[in-house]
Amino acid sequence: MTPRSGGGGAPSIDSVEAAAYTVPTDSPEGDGTLTWDSTTLILVRVAAGGVSGLGYTYGAPATAVVVGQELARVVTGRSAWDVPAANEAMSRAVRNTGRPGLVAQALSAVDTSSTDTAWSA
């Protein structure tokens, strides 16, 4: 198992927060198969060592729930600099939940916010 402490002075992840924002489009949009008049943005904030990183994805509001209920507990306390280990831990945590689709979008948003934190630290 990967150690959950920073080690070597690396900051540990203190918190992971997610929120869903539905943003209306200026006018109806479409791709030839479907039209829509709003987009839902999932914003993830990871805090570590006094800095924070932001990650995002587009998807259903339930994506933010996956971050809060399945992924946040897995990465909190881990080194902010060991993004690959956090990614692996998240992938393992959602193995039985179902990795593709909405869950993959949630994982991606946490992953990119963690990467932002790692580079900002």
Side-chain angles (χ1 to χ4, degrees), residues 7-65:
S12 294
I13 295 175
D14 299 318
S15 64
V16 178
E17 301 170 351
Y21 300 96
T22 300
V23 182
T25 57
D26 291 336
S27 60
E29 297 180 1
D31 64 3
T33 62
L34 181 70
T35 59
W36 56 90
D37 60 6
S38 64
T39 299
T40 302
L41 170 74
I42 311 303
L43 184 68
V44 175
R45 180 181 164 271
V46 172
V51 294
S52 62
L54 294 175
Y56 70 93
T57 190
Y58 298 99
T63 309
V65 175

Side-chain angles (χ1 to χ4, degrees), residues 35-118:
T35 59
W36 56 90
D37 60 6
S38 64
T39 299
T40 302
L41 170 74
I42 311 303
L43 184 68
V44 175
R45 180 181 164 271
V46 172
V51 294
S52 62
L54 294 175
Y56 70 93
T57 190
Y58 298 99
T63 309
V65 175
V66 171
V67 172
Q69 292 183 357
E70 300 288 330
L71 303 178
R73 64 181 168 79
V74 175
V75 298
T76 300
R78 291 186 173 274
S79 169
W81 294 347
D82 196 355
V83 176
N87 181 282
E88 180 181 341
M90 289 188 292
S91 291
R92 289 176 182 268
V94 297
R95 181 207 178 274
N96 290 339
T97 304
R99 174 72 166 75
L102 183 141
V103 175
Q105 291 173 305
L107 197 152
S108 175
V110 174
D111 203 25
T112 57
S113 64
S114 298
T115 301
D116 190 27
T117 301

